[in-house]
Amino acid sequence: MTVDDTVRTGDDRSALRIELDRHGDQYRTEFQRLSDELHATKPIAWNDTHGGYWFVSGNQELFDTARRADVLSNDDDPYGERKGYTGISIPSPPIEVRQRMAGGPGALGGQFLGMDPPAQRHYRNALNPYLSPAAVARWQPVIDEITRAALDEVIETGRIDFVDHLANVVPAVLTMAMLGFPMNDYETYVEPIHAAVYTKPGTPEMERINAQQIEMGMRSFGYISDIRTNPRPGLVNALINAEITGRKPSDMDILGTVGLLLGGGFDTTTALTAHALEWLSENPGQRARLIAEWDELRDSATEEFLRYYTPAPGDGRTVAMDAEIHGVQFKEGDRLWLSWAMANRDEKVFENPHEVQLDRKGNRHASFGLGVHRCIGSNVARATFKTMLKAVLDRMPDFVCDPDGAVHYDTVGVINGLKHLPATFTPGPRLGAGLVETIDRLQEVVDEQRLAEPVTVKKEAARLSE
C-alpha cells in the first residue's frame, strides 16, 4: 500500500488515494502496520484497486458511516431493475453468479444482506424467532453433543486438525439442523463454502469452485422443494411462509437466503475458533489462566477473540446519495468498504489494540457489523464458539498446534480463517458414540421434538437420552 501526505480536501480523491489489494498477501501479512498507518493518516481513504472505492478504517468514522442507512445501500441489482447497484462484495462476483443468486428478473431476491429495507427487514423479521438468545439456548444440548462426538473421533489418538475435525464440523451440522436440512449431509457443503472464501477471485481455481457452488445450490434447491411439499420446522420453512413486501418468496428467492445462512453459519465460527486455539497454543500461560478462570473470562475472552481476529473483515456498500461524512464528500454511485477488522484495531478506542487481552472491558468491537445489517447469527456464533473452546480446554488442555502445519487462507478479503490447524495433545478416553452415530441420533431428536420450531412456538430445550 502507498499513502501520500497530502491534506484531505473536499471530494478530491487524489488527496485520499491509497492502493491496497484486500485479497493480496500484503493485506494479510502486514495488517497491523497498514491499520496503524491508515488510522494515523487516512481513516477514510480512496482505494484505487478493484475499480476504485472508499475505504473506511477508523473506528469513529466507520461507526458514523455504517449507521447511515439513508446514505449507504446494500442492494444487489444484477438485472438493472432499480439503480444497478452491485451489492456488498468488492470486487463484485461475475454477473452470472449475481443473477443466479438473485433468482431471475422480477424476483424478490434471497441474499438479504444484498438488500435494503423494507425487503431486508421482512426477511430478518421472519428469521429472528429462530436466532434469538432464547431460541439458540434450546439448541445447547445438541451443540454440546456434536462437539463431544467430534472430539471423541480423535481423543484416543493424541492428534487433531482443529479445522477438519472440529471447527468445520460443529457449526456445519448445527446449521443444517436449524435450516431443516438433513444433518448428515453437511459434508456436501463444507468444502465448497470454505473454498469460495479462501480462493482468490479471478483465478482458474475460483472457476472450479463456482461449479461446485452450482452443484451445492442444486442440492439445496431439492431440499427447499421437499420442505415446501412436506413441511418440517426450520429456517427454510420460515422463509417459505414469510411475506416479503406483500409477496411470498419463490424457491429461488429462498435459495439465495439459504446460501447466506450456510456461508455465515459454516465459515465465520470456524475461522474464529481456529484462530483462538492457535493463539492459546502460542500463549500457554494465558491458556492456563483461561482454564482456571473460565467462568469469569468466558464472555470477555469471546468478545476479545472476535475483536482481534474479526472473522468477516468487512462489507461493501454503494453510496445511494451525495453526502458529507467526517469531511469527506461521497457521491451517489460510489463504492465503499466498511473495514470492521481495521476499526477493531483503532488505538483511539482500544488500548494496545494489537494485543489480545482476555479480560478487556468495554469491548465495543464491530465484528458483527453495525446498523440495520448487523449479523443475524451472532447468538449462534457465540454459543457454538464457547462450546467448542470449552470442550478443547477441558479434554485437551495441553494441546500444541504445529506452526508448520497451520495453513491460513490465501486471501482474507472475505473471511479471515485457516484451512488446517494440526495439533498434538495427551490422549484421553472416549465419552460416547462416534460422529456418524451421534448425528443420526440427534436427527431423531430434532425431528421428534420439533426442535427447529421458532421460539414463539417451542421454548423447551432439547432433551437427549442415552
Side-chain angles (χ1 to χ4, degrees):
M1 182 190 75
T2 58
V3 179
D4 61 43
D5 296 321
T6 317
V7 176
R8 191 166 62 205
T9 57
D11 62 354
D12 184 4
R13 295 176 181 177
S14 65
L16 300 163
R17 195 175 306 277
I18 64 172
E19 291 186 8
L20 174 59
D21 183 0
R22 296 183 355 270
H23 293 282
D25 294 337
Q26 184 188 40
Y27 178 75
R28 176 173 57 83
T29 60
E30 300 181 37
F31 182 81
Q32 177 174 326
R33 179 186 67 80
L34 294 172
S35 297
D36 289 343
E37 191 172 344
L38 283 173
H39 292 153
T41 59
K42 293 180 174 64
I44 301 178
W46 176 260
N47 193 344
D48 263 340
T49 64
H50 299 302
Y53 59 96
W54 295 106
F55 189 93
V56 186
S57 65
N59 186 280
Q60 188 63 52
E61 290 81 1
L62 180 135
F63 182 86
D64 294 338
T65 304
R67 293 170 63 86
R68 289 294 301 272
D70 58 327
V71 173
L72 302 185
S73 172
N74 284 46
D75 191 27
D76 191 1
D77 180 24
Y79 291 99
E81 297 172 308
R82 295 172 295 280
K83 294 185 177 181
Y85 294 163
T86 54
I88 66 163
S89 296
I90 300 177
S92 298
I95 186 66
E96 61 272 15
V97 174
R98 293 172 52 220
Q99 289 178 342
R100 184 173 73 246
M101 297 307 295
L108 293 171
Q111 283 270 14
F112 64 88
L113 191 53
M115 296 180 187
D116 295 328
Q120 173 263 358
R121 183 174 65 253
H122 294 170
Y123 272 103
R124 288 181 69 100
N125 288 345
L127 299 176
N128 277 333
Y130 297 79
L131 299 168
S132 68
V136 174
R138 297 192 350 253
W139 288 96
Q140 189 60 55
V142 173
I143 303 172
D144 292 339
E145 190 67 354
I146 301 169
T147 303
R148 189 277 310 157
L151 294 185
D152 270 352
E153 291 286 334
V154 297
I155 194 69
E156 295 175 326
T157 69
R159 296 182 178 276
I160 187 172
D161 185 316
F162 281 125
V163 176
D164 286 343
H165 300 138
L166 178 67
N168 267 356
V169 176
V170 180
V173 176
L174 177 65
T175 302
M176 296 289 282
M178 298 183 78
L179 286 167
F181 285 4
M183 296 166 68
N184 61 9
D185 197 26
Y186 74 95
E187 290 183 304
T188 298
Y189 293 82
V190 167
E191 178 55 24
I193 287 173
H194 292 300
V197 296
Y198 68 62
T199 303
K200 293 183 178 181
T203 61
E205 181 64 13
M206 182 57 83
E207 295 179 9
R208 184 183 69 83
I209 300 305
N210 287 336
Q212 287 186 339
Q213 292 269 310
I214 292 173
E215 293 179 11
M216 186 182 73
M218 293 302 295
R219 181 72 67 98
S220 295
F221 193 79
Y223 290 145
I224 295 166
S225 179
D226 181 63
I227 293 171
R228 188 182 290 277
T229 304
N230 305 289
R232 57 181 178 269
L235 293 164
V236 169
N237 194 57
L239 295 168
I240 289 172
N241 293 298
E243 187 169 287
I244 312 297
T245 61
R247 297 165 54 190
K248 295 288 186 181
S250 69
D251 286 1
M252 285 301 297
D253 293 326
I254 294 168
L255 180 65
T257 291
V258 166
L260 175 63
L261 295 170
L262 285 166
F266 277 41
D267 208 66
T268 52
T269 311
T270 296
L272 177 66
T273 305
H275 272 301
L277 291 170
E278 184 181 42
W279 185 87
L280 289 168
S281 176
E282 295 168 349
N283 296 272
Q286 291 298 303
R287 175 177 57 189
R289 181 190 178 199
L290 184 57
I291 291 172
E293 303 175 35
W294 174 257
D295 290 341
E296 294 77 20
L297 294 177
R298 172 190 58 205
D299 294 338
S300 62
T302 296
E303 301 310 309
E304 180 67 343
F305 285 129
L306 280 164
R307 179 195 72 84
Y308 189 81
Y309 289 111
T310 314
D315 283 312
R317 302 285 190 267
T318 303
V319 177
M321 58 180 285
D322 292 357
E324 178 180 316
I325 303 175
H326 281 274
V328 177
Q329 297 286 340
F330 299 113
K331 297 297 185 182
E332 193 274 332
D334 285 350
R335 296 289 278 151
L336 180 146
W337 184 260
L338 298 164
S339 180
W340 315 123
M342 284 193 175
N344 284 342
R345 299 291 190 93
D346 193 333
E347 67 177 0
K348 291 188 290 294
V349 176
F350 303 101
E351 184 182 1
N352 300 319
H354 303 302
E355 296 179 8
V356 173
Q357 297 178 6
L358 298 179
D359 58 355
R360 187 181 293 272
K361 303 294 191 296
N363 193 341
R364 296 184 61 191
H365 62 74
S367 296
F368 289 120
L370 297 169
V372 298
H373 289 278
R374 188 179 184 280
C375 176
I376 196 172
S378 60
N379 299 310
V380 181
R382 285 186 171 106
T384 310
F385 170 75
K386 291 175 186 177
T387 302
M388 290 190 287
L389 185 60
K390 182 64 162 62
V392 171
L393 295 177
D394 284 348
R395 303 186 67 187
M396 305 172 176
D398 62 350
F399 71 88
V400 178
C401 295
D402 175 11
D404 294 329
V407 181
H408 290 251
Y409 279 5
D410 300 326
T411 168
V412 297
V414 180
I415 298 291
N416 178 24
L418 285 84
K419 298 181 188 178
H420 297 291
L421 184 61
T424 57
F425 57 91
T426 300
R430 292 175 66 104
L431 300 179
L435 194 57
V436 172
E437 181 181 344
T438 298
I439 290 174
D440 288 343
R441 182 169 62 87
L442 289 175
Q443 185 71 69
E444 294 178 359
V445 170
V446 170
D447 294 342
E448 292 173 359
Q449 299 180 22
R450 297 182 67 83
L451 195 62
E453 292 277 19
V455 73
T456 50
V457 173
K458 181 178 178 61
K459 297 180 172 59
E460 300 82 7
R463 302 181 307 277
L464 307 186
S465 57
E466 294 299 331

